[in-house]
């Protein structure tokens, strides 16, 4: 166990919608919905859209039919990532211990910051919330407690508070557990909820009252950790370090159905560029490249290739990936998405150069990749695009003519 801490979970409200409202202030206080793609599902809703009755995950054609007055926008994940980076930057400036949980959530260790900022934990959270709104124009909800699990529970409840803040102190824990259904607990999914309810457990309080032996037999070590966290005993501290991924995968739907090879190739290169940036972020390289194609009717075709030497250079990976793409591509099939997979990731320091390696070429590759990253860090993501840019409008016209 760790000594008692004070942890906040900062959760951006309706993040994708908030990003669109930041970009276009006229959308504020409007029923806005963000779609996964042009004919996809609703993946984010404003408060006004929720009140209107638009459901999360609802297909666009159904939502448009039932709620024609709502505003529907196709997701721009690159832009959302930029805004997320800005928000996380504010958190890292605020506290030395920040653990990013997702694109719109992060745990922040507030322990001891009351002396630094001369504020109690409530006014500290209020100050942080106001600062994020003023500097990033993104509204957030903040839950504060002694563990991650309780802070997550607090952030969920904070969304219904006018000030967007919810504190769960030591004395408040029993009451909160009694008023919390087990399906509201972070880490308890649908199947586990059913299993627990079959054993007569409806609330979080009923769960923590169970003996450790019973919890271990029904849920396992995860259940025991959950019990301790729910009672205010921190098991999982806030950590800054980001672990190196074992693999990197990037894929996204086109928003249209197409069989145009050049368009698919262009989309694949975008994924390769993003994946290579992530490789370089962790100062590592890959030894395996895979390419995936998903058809209009959701069939998946994929292939991969092992490399003789590790690389993080997108032009080199692109050349191999395009050849792999050609192996699984069929011009008579309509596709909805493509993706790249980079596997067998290891540290750069383990790389061994071939006896005949040209170190000059390797140096040039490294410098060019560094130039790419520096330009994007200064001017924004995707300021550099390899190959060519193929507009979706052209593809759509071409597909329409072929029908």
């Amino acid at each position: 166990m760790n000594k008692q801490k004070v942890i906040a979970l900062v959760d951006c409200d309706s993040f994708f919608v908030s990003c669109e409202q930041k970009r276009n202030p006229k959308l504020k206080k409007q029923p806005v919905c963000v779609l996964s793609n042009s004919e996809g599902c609703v993946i984010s809703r404003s408060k006004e859209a929720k009140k209107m009755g638009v459901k999360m995950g609802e297909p666009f054609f159904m939502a448009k039919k039932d709620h024609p007055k709502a505003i529907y926008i196709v997701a721009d994940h690159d832009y959302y990532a930029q805004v997320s980076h800005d928000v996380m930057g504010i958190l890292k400036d605020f506290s030395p211990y920040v653990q990013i949980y997702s694109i719109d959530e992060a745990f922040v260790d507030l322990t001891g910051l009351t002396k630094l900022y001369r504020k109690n934990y409530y006014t500290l959270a209020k100050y942080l919330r106001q600062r994020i709104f003023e500097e990033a124009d993104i509204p957030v909800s903040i839950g504060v407690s002694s563990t991650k699990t309780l802070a997550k529970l607090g952030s969920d409840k904070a969304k219904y508070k006018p000030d967007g803040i919810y504190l769960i102190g030591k004395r408040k824990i029993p009451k909160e557990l009694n008023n919390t259904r087990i399906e509201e607990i972070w880490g308890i999914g649908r199947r586990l909820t059913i299993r627990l309810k079959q054993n007569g457990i409806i609330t979080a309080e009923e769960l923590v009252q169970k003996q450790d032996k019973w919890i271990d037999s029904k849920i396992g070590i995860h259940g025991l950790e959950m019990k301790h966290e729910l009672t205010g005993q921190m098991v999982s501290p806030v950590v800054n370090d980001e672990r190196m991924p074992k693999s990197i995968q990037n894929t996204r739907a086109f928003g249209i159905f197409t069989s145009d090879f050049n368009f698919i190739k262009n989309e694949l290169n975008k994924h390769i560029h993003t994946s290579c940036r992530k490789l370089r972020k962790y100062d590592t390289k890959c030894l395996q490249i895979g390419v995936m194609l998903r058809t209009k009717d959701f069939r998946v075709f994929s292939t991969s290739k092992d490399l003789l030497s590790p690389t993080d250079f997108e032009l080199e990976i692109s050349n191999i990936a395009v050849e792999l793409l050609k192996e699984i591509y069929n011009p008579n099939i309509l596709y909805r998405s493509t993706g790249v997979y980079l596997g067998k990731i290891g540290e750069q320091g383990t790389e061994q150069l071939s006896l005949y390696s040209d170190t000059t070429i390797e140096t040039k590759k490294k410098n060019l990749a560094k130039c790419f990253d520096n330009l994007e860090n200064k001017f924004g993501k995707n300021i550099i695009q390899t190959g060519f840019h193929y507009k979706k409008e052209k593809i759509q016209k071409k597909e329409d003519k072929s029908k």
Side-chain angles (χ1 to χ4, degrees):
M1 297 292 174
N2 294 280
K3 292 182 179 180
Q4 185 155 342
K5 298 275 188 176
V6 179
I7 297 173
L9 189 279
V10 180
D11 185 4
C12 300
D13 298 335
S14 302
F15 182 57
F16 294 168
V17 166
S18 295
C19 289
E20 294 296 342
Q21 291 173 330
K22 168 186 171 71
R23 180 156 53 181
N24 181 4
K26 292 182 179 179
L27 294 175
K28 292 184 178 183
K29 296 185 179 181
Q30 297 296 319
V32 180
C33 300
V34 173
L35 304 172
S36 56
N37 56 62
S38 58
E39 295 296 330
C41 301
V42 176
I43 57 175
S44 185
R45 305 163 295 163
S46 65
K47 292 180 180 179
E48 293 76 15
K50 292 176 184 177
K51 289 180 181 179
M52 185 179 284
V54 181
K55 298 176 182 177
M56 192 68 166
E58 189 173 11
F60 171 61
F61 75 92
M62 291 178 60
K64 186 69 175 176
K65 179 182 177 182
D66 296 336
H67 309 285
K69 292 185 179 181
I71 301 169
Y72 299 93
I73 301 172
V74 177
D76 183 352
H77 293 284
D78 290 339
Y79 175 65
Y80 305 157
Q82 290 177 28
V83 177
S84 174
H85 182 267
D86 293 340
V87 173
M88 300 307 167
I90 295 169
L91 297 182
K92 290 176 181 178
D93 182 64
F94 184 79
S95 169
Y97 299 101
V98 176
Q99 184 175 351
I100 299 174
Y101 179 62
S102 67
I103 193 172
D104 61 347
E105 290 179 287
F107 290 102
V108 182
D109 193 332
L110 302 180
T111 311
L113 295 184
T114 51
K115 294 181 180 179
L116 176 64
Y117 290 95
R118 296 183 180 180
K119 302 176 186 293
N120 61 34
Y121 285 113
Y122 172 77
T123 53
L124 195 63
K126 186 176 180 180
Y127 168 72
L128 176 58
R129 185 173 185 266
Q130 184 64 25
R131 182 176 167 183
I132 294 170
F133 186 76
E134 290 177 353
E135 295 182 24
D137 197 17
I138 296 293
V140 300
S141 297
I142 302 178
V144 180
S145 193
S146 54
T147 70
K148 286 181 179 177
T149 303
L150 289 174
K152 182 72 170 70
L153 180 63
S155 72
D156 292 339
K157 294 178 181 291
K159 293 183 183 299
Y160 302 97
K161 293 289 183 178
D163 58 4
I165 299 167
Y166 199 90
L167 274 64
I168 302 178
K170 186 176 181 180
R171 295 180 181 179
K172 201 175 179 181
I173 291 176
K175 182 180 178 181
E176 290 296 334
L177 298 184
N178 185 51
N179 294 330
T180 300
R181 302 186 304 275
I182 54 171
E183 59 265 31
E184 296 178 83
I185 301 172
W186 179 42
I188 294 186
R190 185 176 60 85
R191 291 183 180 180
L192 184 54
T193 296
I194 294 172
R195 195 190 320 162
L196 291 174
K197 285 185 176 181
Q198 288 173 342
N199 285 273
I201 298 176
I202 307 300
T203 67
E205 181 185 33
E206 292 170 337
L207 177 62
V208 300
Q209 286 177 348
K210 287 291 184 180
Q211 295 293 323
D212 286 359
K213 186 176 180 180
W214 186 92
I215 292 177
D216 187 31
S217 65
K218 297 295 181 181
I219 309 176
I221 186 66
H222 171 64
L224 293 174
E225 292 175 348
M226 187 185 301
K227 175 182 176 178
H228 288 300
E229 289 254 327
L230 283 170
T231 54
Q233 303 171 60
M234 187 181 70
V235 175
S236 176
V238 175
V239 291
N240 286 321
D241 59 317
E242 295 182 62
R243 295 181 180 179
M244 183 188 300
K246 294 180 179 179
S247 64
I248 296 173
Q249 185 171 342
N250 245 295
T251 183
R252 190 182 305 159
F254 300 144
I256 58 173
F257 302 131
T258 182
S259 60
D260 188 290
F261 181 81
N262 286 330
F263 175 80
I264 297 171
K265 173 185 172 183
N266 189 58
E267 293 298 302
L268 180 64
N269 276 330
K270 291 180 183 178
H271 299 320
I272 290 170
H273 178 63
T274 301
S275 299
C276 286
R277 273 183 61 87
K278 193 168 185 179
L279 280 177
R280 294 191 290 270
K281 174 185 175 183
Y282 288 100
D283 194 26
T284 188
K285 297 183 179 184
C286 71
L287 266 169
Q288 186 180 59
I289 300 171
V291 172
M292 177 276 292
L293 273 175
R294 181 175 284 111
T295 69
K296 179 180 178 181
D297 55 356
F298 293 97
R299 288 181 296 155
V300 176
F301 297 91
S302 63
T303 186
S304 62
K305 180 179 180 178
D306 289 345
L307 308 179
L308 294 176
S309 58
T311 183
D312 63 359
F313 189 50
E314 47 239 71
L315 298 183
E316 185 176 348
I317 290 176
S318 177
N319 289 335
I320 298 170
V322 170
E323 292 304 313
L324 294 175
L325 178 64
K326 290 177 181 177
E327 292 179 14
I328 57 176
Y329 168 75
N330 185 331
N332 299 315
I333 295 178
L334 287 175
Y335 298 99
R336 65 167 58 240
S337 65
T338 188
V340 66
Y341 168 88
L342 304 181
K344 296 187 178 180
I345 293 175
E347 295 182 5
Q348 273 182 283
T350 63
E351 180 182 356
Q352 292 183 340
L353 293 175
S354 165
L355 182 63
Y356 304 103
S357 295
D358 187 334
T359 56
T360 302
I361 293 177
E362 292 302 316
T363 301
K364 287 181 177 179
K365 287 180 183 178
K366 187 174 182 179
N367 289 339
L368 183 56
K370 187 177 180 179
C371 181
F372 285 173
D373 294 342
N374 288 339
L375 284 170
E376 290 205 340
N377 290 336
K378 185 174 182 179
F379 298 106
K381 193 172 181 181
N382 290 327
I383 194 69
I384 299 292
Q385 294 188 6
T386 56
F388 53 87
H389 186 66
Y390 216 76
K391 291 186 177 180
K392 290 183 180 180
E393 291 82 0
K394 293 183 179 180
I395 297 297
Q396 191 67 61
K397 290 178 182 178
K398 188 174 180 180
E399 297 298 336
D400 291 341
K401 290 180 180 178
S402 64
K403 291 180 180 179

